[in-house]
Amino acid sequence: MADSKRALQKVLAAALERVDAQLIVTSAKGVAAALSSLFDSLAAQTVAITNERELVDFGAVKAVVARSATAVVAPPSEKRAAAEAAEWKQRLAGADVGITSALAIAAETGTLLLPPLSPDQRAVSLLPTHHIALLSEDRLVPDIEALFAVWKKSERTDGNAVFVTGPSRTSDIEKELVLGVHGPQSLHVLLIR
Amino acid sequence: MSYANRPKELKRQLGSALRTRSSDPPFKRNTRKAVSARADRVAEWPDFEERRARATARRQEAIDTLAELHGQLRQHWAKNGITVHEARDDNEARHIALSIVRAAGAKRVLKSKSMLSEEIEINDFLEQHGIEAVETDLGEYVVQLRGEAPSHITMPAMHLSRQNIGRLFAKRLGVEYTDDPPALTQIARRTLRRQFLSAEVGMIGVNFAVAETGHLATVTNEGNGRMVTTLPRVVIALLGWERVTQSLEDLAQLWQLLSRSATGQRATVYLNLTGGPDPEGGCPQQVHVIVIDNGRKRIHADREMREVLRCIRCGACLNACPVYQQVGGYPYGDVYPGPIGAVFTPAREGVRSAPDHPFASSLCGACEEACPVSIPLPKLLLALRKQRTELRSAFDPERGLWRSFRTVMGSRRIYEAATAFARGVQFIWPGGPKKMVIPGWTDHRDPPVFAKRSFREQFDDRNAKPEGPENG
């Protein structure tokens, strides 16, 4: 059991590397430290995070508030006036890092499944320059088929969901790979033991 | 950026493209790269052929039960707050989209890449009505700035070099010239970011609508599909009538086949599933689906041609096609170039509207081999050629020629008499048979010359006086 889990993690690490994303495996206690060193390496000033229950439980929200110069905490859902909504988008777009949870990740391709979230929270994995996804290692599944099975068993199977495989990319200019077109330029997966 | 010149121009366009192309055109390099990337992804999947066969069968089942699947979709859409519109043709689709944009009080639409939106030529129409349509896929953005149409269904700017794009950005965006792809990409990112953040209406093409859940699935690599479904108040989703899949499991398979076939990725960066407007009143507040027929039901009514509706628009057949590799997308004069376009367009609009398209192929079969849903493109091209030929009058010289050919080949006596006559004639012909001119045929090749004596005559001679060691 432990062996197959390790083998799957190795497959995941290779898959993420292929799509120019990074895997960091840490203990629950190490979350704050891992985030802190990531913020350093990304020179992050402003950090946005969704206040999903899991991220609160992992202590990630607390770590972000304590560690970053400016923290933007995205609430589950809030009705906003147009002007306020526009300002909120600007704040997220100005963030260096966005942190979200994930329902699951597929080892074979390194694909994350992001759950249906409020519009404010969905933008956290999209607008900031870098994206960090936090999830517990028991959310690691073998492949995309298994990822869809997780989605089918989840609470809101008709909601908005996003599958993410690596940072935003294009090869539209002479088929040369460039990262970070409209979405994040880098993706870091924090897998928690 | 109009496709209006299509019908009779194809032959001329292909000819001039061949004569004027450079020795190493970008589309040749780019298709080569795409072909090898796909081959790598196929090779690493030991069960690729099984997956392909399964996807083929499931796509065909979906096409055969479309009415039922659309019924399911409508139930989910009603429940999830998605508004449905039906468009019989491109004109209806354009007007529906315009009325949605006007009702939203918007002056600009931000678009994620959609070939269907090209098919209904919506950008020009919106512009004519005072609404700016902004393409946000990098390649589409580039061709839009140039006032062109995309030259490939998944790589819109593949006919351009980095220098072309550098000069374009310098001229149109007022930035300093660079031909460095990352720098060019950053310029586009900055320019379009501002527009995303203030966008009121977003427009997407739907890769697949999932009957089981009602999801509108959009595949992108850049994240623009997510931008235009997450940030604006109103989302307009264009759905080709046939782009429906049964279940989430089917979507999982088709997405992977699409990724591997189109770009040689294992999975595209984003697969975005739009379920409907935000239940709490956030963005998007409205999601509109426009289900577009535009000739698809006509194809569906034709049992044989129906198979082309399985297409998932990966572009693998374009990349594999020796004709496309030589000339790129533009000479086809249509939104869908290459083998799929040569079938889809005449099938959708009637062979009269694109009479030369079925002939723009050597029938080598590379397209069918590359197709992830095994569309028998050469077979369909032949069927369309037949339709095309049947349109010709009974007195058409080519039909007459083939009728005579059949008569001659059908009888030995007539055949021998005809060839004897031809052999006789060619030696009294002034200048000999090589001087004979058959327009369109002898431009590039010599007419065949008959031997002095036929094979049968020579054979009979040899049998009459046997030779060889065993008789010696």
Side-chain angles (χ1 to χ4, degrees):
Chain A
M1 183 64 200
D3 274 356
S4 72
K5 212 195 270 172
R6 256 198 302 278
L8 213 52
Q9 273 185 22
K10 263 176 91 174
V11 176
L12 174 66
L16 284 172
E17 201 187 321
R18 270 198 310 258
V19 296
D20 308 285
Q22 185 191 9
L23 176 67
I24 300 162
V25 183
T26 177
S27 67
K29 280 193 188 128
V31 169
L35 284 176
S36 181
S37 80
L38 261 177
F39 295 164
D40 284 340
S41 68
L42 299 171
Q45 297 291 315
T46 308
V47 178
I49 184 166
T50 58
N51 66 346
E52 296 169 81
R53 207 189 60 224
E54 283 174 271
L55 295 183
V56 177
D57 290 351
F58 284 135
V61 177
K62 219 160 83 188
V64 166
V65 174
R67 172 62 176 69
S68 56
T70 316
V72 184
V73 181
S77 199
E78 208 158 293
K79 210 160 186 161
R80 295 173 195 280
E84 206 189 339
E87 195 207 309
W88 176 255
K89 285 181 220 167
Q90 290 289 353
R91 283 178 71 194
L92 283 183
D96 302 303
V97 175
I99 305 177
T100 70
S101 78
L103 276 179
I105 189 164
E108 188 190 23
T109 55
T111 305
L112 285 159
L113 167 56
L114 306 184
L117 294 171
S118 70
D120 290 351
Q121 292 186 329
R122 275 194 288 154
V124 172
S125 60
L126 181 63
L127 291 174
T129 314
H130 308 280
H131 177 205
I132 302 173
L134 251 81
L135 72 169
S136 149
E137 68 175 351
D138 56 17
R139 302 285 180 88
L140 175 58
V141 298
D143 50 25
I144 283 177
E145 284 79 2
L147 213 53
F148 272 82
V150 171
W151 171 239
K152 257 190 130 152
K153 275 190 237 137
S154 68
E155 290 161 35
R156 280 191 50 212
T157 48
D158 58 357
N160 298 315
V162 187
F163 295 77
V164 177
T165 313
S168 157
R169 67 174 58 211
T170 188
S171 306
D172 274 350
I173 303 174
E174 289 192 5
K175 291 211 66 82
E176 183 172 313
L177 174 67
V178 181
L179 299 179
V181 195
H182 297 307
Q185 279 165 18
S186 78
L187 171 68
H188 313 267
V189 176
L190 224 63
L191 202 63
I192 300 160
R193 279 197 298 267
Chain B
M1 65 147 293
S2 168
Y3 304 110
N5 64 355
R6 178 180 349 103
K8 296 198 183 72
E9 288 286 282
L10 182 65
K11 229 171 173 172
R12 208 179 54 77
Q13 299 272 9
L14 285 171
S16 94
L18 274 175
R19 279 190 298 277
T20 57
R21 89 203 143 120
S22 63
S23 59
D24 186 22
F27 42 78
K28 203 167 171 181
R29 288 197 299 276
N30 292 332
T31 49
R32 210 180 297 138
K33 286 183 201 167
V35 165
S36 91
R38 174 194 169 271
D40 290 346
R41 291 295 84 71
V42 166
E44 71 183 19
W45 246 3
D47 57 346
F48 172 76
E49 281 304 329
E50 283 159 55
R51 286 182 188 256
R52 182 178 182 228
R54 214 159 49 224
T56 301
R58 289 295 282 168
R59 272 307 282 153
Q60 192 57 46
E61 273 170 51
I63 297 306
D64 291 337
T65 57
L66 269 177
E68 205 178 296
L69 296 178
H70 271 284
Q72 288 179 41
L73 275 175
R74 258 143 255 244
Q75 281 177 12
H76 288 291
W77 288 344
K79 193 171 63 155
N80 298 340
I82 292 181
T83 314
V84 193
H85 309 261
E86 306 256 0
R88 259 176 316 200
D89 55 25
D90 48 356
N91 188 44
E92 272 189 21
R94 289 191 289 261
H95 279 97
I96 293 166
L98 176 65
S99 68
I100 297 168
V101 178
R102 281 192 171 150
K107 286 274 165 233
R108 182 188 283 159
V109 176
L110 258 74
K111 293 180 64 200
S112 156
K113 189 173 156 28
S114 156
M115 289 315 288
L116 182 51
S117 81
E118 299 282 346
E119 179 188 315
I120 65 172
E121 295 183 66
I122 193 149
N123 292 7
D124 287 352
F125 178 81
L126 289 176
E127 305 273 336
Q128 282 159 23
H129 291 82
I131 288 156
E132 190 189 355
V134 181
E135 295 290 351
T136 62
D137 172 90
L138 179 59
E140 290 272 355
Y141 181 65
V142 165
V143 295
Q144 188 182 35
L145 279 181
R146 283 173 65 96
E148 287 177 349
S151 66
H152 187 286
I153 64 178
T154 63
M155 301 179 277
M158 64 115 72
H159 58 295
L160 299 172
S161 68
R162 61 185 69 197
Q163 291 80 10
N164 291 149
I165 297 170
R167 282 193 295 270
L168 173 75
F169 277 17
K171 190 171 148 209
R172 292 296 310 275
L173 303 176
V175 294
E176 207 171 306
Y177 174 84
T178 168
D179 54 24
D180 176 40
L184 290 168
T185 305
Q186 282 310 307
I187 293 166
R189 177 183 170 110
R190 277 199 306 274
T191 314
L192 288 169
R193 227 350 134 88
R194 284 193 293 274
Q195 308 208 9
F196 280 130
L197 292 175
S198 61
E200 290 179 282
V201 178
M203 183 179 281
I204 56 167
V206 180
N207 289 87
F208 301 102
V210 185
E212 180 187 30
T213 56
H215 278 118
L216 307 171
T218 303
V219 172
T220 68
N221 276 319
E222 301 181 358
N224 53 331
R226 290 187 65 192
M227 291 282 183
V228 302
T229 51
T230 306
L231 302 174
R233 275 188 299 117
V234 177
V235 171
I236 301 173
L238 306 177
L239 173 66
W241 178 68
E242 84 288 16
R243 302 293 289 276
V244 182
T245 190
Q246 296 93 322
S247 67
L248 289 171
E249 284 84 1
D250 291 301
L251 176 65
Q253 292 305 319
L254 292 172
W255 174 37
Q256 292 181 79
L257 278 169
L258 174 64
S259 306
R260 287 175 190 248
S261 304
T263 53
Q265 291 169 286
R266 288 165 185 83
T268 56
V269 178
Y270 302 109
L271 171 68
N272 193 37
L273 301 185
T274 299
D278 181 53
E280 315 288 337
C283 290
Q285 291 166 353
Q286 297 172 27
V287 176
H288 297 265
V289 179
I290 309 179
V291 182
I292 300 171
D293 169 2
N294 209 27
R296 287 162 175 76
K297 289 181 182 167
R298 171 196 187 126
I299 301 179
H300 195 261
D302 179 337
R303 274 262 154 211
E304 182 175 31
M305 213 49 73
R306 187 185 275 191
E307 290 191 70
V308 77
L309 295 178
R310 292 203 296 263
C311 178
I312 59 173
R313 305 282 189 278
C314 66
C317 62
L318 276 56
N319 301 334
C321 177
V323 178
Y324 186 94
Q325 284 171 7
Q326 295 303 320
V327 298
Y330 286 145
Y332 291 88
D334 191 73
V335 55
Y336 306 104
I340 186 64
V343 172
F344 189 58
T345 300
R348 190 167 61 76
E349 298 180 5
V351 75
R352 232 179 264 278
S353 84
D356 288 338
H357 276 65
F359 297 87
S361 164
S362 66
L363 301 177
C364 73
C367 49
E368 180 175 1
E369 208 173 285
C371 179
V373 288
S374 330
I375 299 173
L377 289 157
K379 188 185 99 182
L380 299 181
L381 285 166
L382 278 174
L384 286 163
R385 288 183 185 185
K386 185 159 175 262
Q387 284 183 23
R388 164 76 179 102
T389 306
E390 280 162 1
L391 286 181
R392 290 171 185 251
S393 104
F395 303 104
D396 180 85
E398 197 177 326
R399 292 191 78 171
L401 197 70
W402 287 111
R403 256 202 311 273
S404 319
F405 181 75
R406 194 173 57 195
T407 314
V408 170
M409 296 305 280
S411 146
R412 180 169 165 187
R413 272 179 35 226
I414 301 178
Y415 173 79
E416 282 178 351
T419 48
F421 175 72
R423 275 200 303 280
V425 165
Q426 75 177 351
F427 296 108
I428 54 170
W429 192 280
K434 288 205 165 155
K435 289 278 149 55
M436 197 159 61
V437 174
I438 309 170
W441 173 265
T442 50
D443 300 349
H444 302 286
R445 28 173 127 57
D446 291 332
V449 176
F450 286 95
K452 283 192 179 129
R453 294 170 60 73
S454 80
F455 175 79
R456 277 184 176 280
E457 284 166 357
Q458 292 182 46
F459 190 80
D460 288 345
D461 284 358
R462 277 174 184 251
N463 275 356
K465 22 181 186 161
E467 280 168 24
E470 66 265 61
N471 295 318

